[in-house]
Amino acid sequence: MSAQTLTEIPPSAPPDPAAVPRVVPRRRAGQWAAATVVLALLALALTSVVRNDAFQWGVVGEYFTTAAVLRGLGLTLWLTALVMALGFAFGTLLAVLRLSANPVLRAVSWGYVWLFRSMPVLVQLLFWFNIGALYPKILGVRTVDLFGPVTVALIGLTLHEAAYAAEVVRGGILSVERGQIEAAQALGLGRWRRWRRIVLPQAMRSIVPPAGNMLIGTLKGTSIVSVIAVQDLLYSVQLVYHRTYQVIPLLLVATLWYIVVTSLLGAGQYAIERHYARGTVR
């Protein structure tokens, strides 16, 4: 075909917008009706809670920021932070042992995880609280003097947390593709640099979500230490309502504080997840 023939072909006219069929989204009347019913039920429940004088919201506001409650909250936060730090440090060591080529180390790590995941945390706390029945003295000091309620809570919760943290860390490490490590080896990177620059940044994408859930679970789980007279948030409000007999409003005080703290932790978890998810398809 000659160039003259090509120039004689008229360009195609743009399509007429009026002639193009318009895509109309499908109407979902059932979903909107269900949403309306759910919102109506939530509004009724909220109205019932707010207007019910039995909740004694004035008492809730009176005790929400009292010194005793804030001291209990401080101990709860301190215990949660320390248990998570120690639990993940010990759990990381257990995860490394589980991934070791040494069968003895793998067996020891597996046995620890199996044992402490099989025991309820309350049983562990009661066991450590009564450890003096097995060992009345340790290094010449009475066991009851060494293992106070707070120490018992710290030991019991940390050992329990380490078993779950080990599996979280191990799962995160195994989520990294083997080819990434082999490529780092081919580039001549040392073992520590491979772990710091290649393995851990990728493993954190799998570690952070369950670790965040564990942190929130540990915060709420610390309330169980009230059974061994540790003056955490729950035990502090219990001391008050045993004196005033205002059980419901004091339990609401503890509940609201747990909601506030877990909401803040959830927001922090979301920010950390976004940080480690950069460059990935979400």
Side-chain angles (χ1 to χ4, degrees):
M1 184 180 294
S2 63
Q4 183 179 3
T5 306
L6 291 175
T7 57
E8 293 176 355
I9 300 176
S12 59
D16 185 6
V20 177
R22 186 168 60 93
V23 178
V24 179
R26 182 180 178 183
R27 301 182 185 278
R28 303 180 182 273
Q31 291 185 0
W32 284 107
T36 303
V37 172
V38 170
L39 290 176
L41 292 176
L42 288 176
L44 289 175
L46 183 61
T47 303
S48 174
V49 171
V50 172
R51 293 186 175 181
N52 192 338
D53 295 334
F55 284 99
Q56 304 181 53
W57 292 108
V59 178
V60 174
E62 178 185 352
Y63 285 99
F64 191 72
T65 55
T66 56
V69 172
L70 293 180
R71 281 196 302 269
L73 176 64
L75 181 58
T76 295
L77 296 177
W78 174 84
L79 192 59
T80 301
L82 201 55
V83 166
M84 284 296 296
L86 296 177
F88 262 87
F90 190 25
T92 301
L93 176 61
L94 290 171
V96 172
L97 295 181
R98 185 76 180 274
L99 298 173
S100 172
N102 190 313
V104 176
L105 297 180
R106 290 202 308 269
V108 170
S109 176
W110 178 88
Y112 178 93
V113 173
W114 166 77
L115 177 63
F116 282 91
R117 288 203 308 177
S118 302
M119 297 174 59
V121 63
L122 178 58
V123 174
Q124 296 182 45
L125 289 176
L126 294 176
F127 176 84
W128 286 106
F129 190 70
N130 295 280
I131 193 67
L134 297 176
Y135 301 98
K137 287 187 177 182
I138 297 178
L139 300 177
V141 182
R142 291 196 314 165
T143 306
V144 293
D145 296 331
L146 289 176
F147 292 90
V150 176
T151 305
V152 167
L154 182 61
I155 293 175
L157 293 177
T158 298
L159 295 178
H160 175 81
E161 203 75 13
Y164 289 89
E167 291 299 284
V168 169
V169 175
R170 185 175 70 92
I173 294 174
L174 292 177
S175 69
V176 180
E177 296 182 3
R178 181 64 185 175
Q180 299 283 338
I181 302 176
E182 293 175 351
Q185 291 174 338
L187 293 174
L189 298 180
R191 179 184 295 271
W192 168 245
R193 195 173 181 187
R194 289 200 305 268
W195 278 89
R196 184 171 59 89
R197 302 297 297 273
I198 305 298
V199 177
L200 284 181
Q202 298 183 68
M204 288 299 289
R205 291 201 297 266
S206 300
I207 292 175
V208 169
N213 291 335
M214 286 181 59
L215 175 60
I216 294 175
T218 301
L219 172 72
K220 296 183 296 184
T222 54
S223 60
I224 202 171
V225 302
S226 60
V227 301
I228 57 174
V230 175
Q231 294 191 14
D232 68 322
L233 177 59
L234 179 59
Y235 192 81
S236 298
V237 300
Q238 286 177 332
L239 290 178
V240 177
Y241 73 60
H242 285 159
R243 186 179 69 252
T244 63
Y245 301 103
Q246 296 168 320
V247 179
I248 297 299
L250 268 301
L251 289 178
L252 283 174
V253 169
T255 300
L256 291 176
W257 272 120
Y258 282 122
I259 291 175
V260 169
V261 178
T262 53
S263 300
L264 295 176
L265 293 178
Q269 175 187 347
Y270 176 74
I272 296 174
E273 287 182 13
R274 290 194 61 184
H275 171 76
Y276 284 105
R278 291 177 303 177
T280 61
V281 178
R282 303 189 64 187

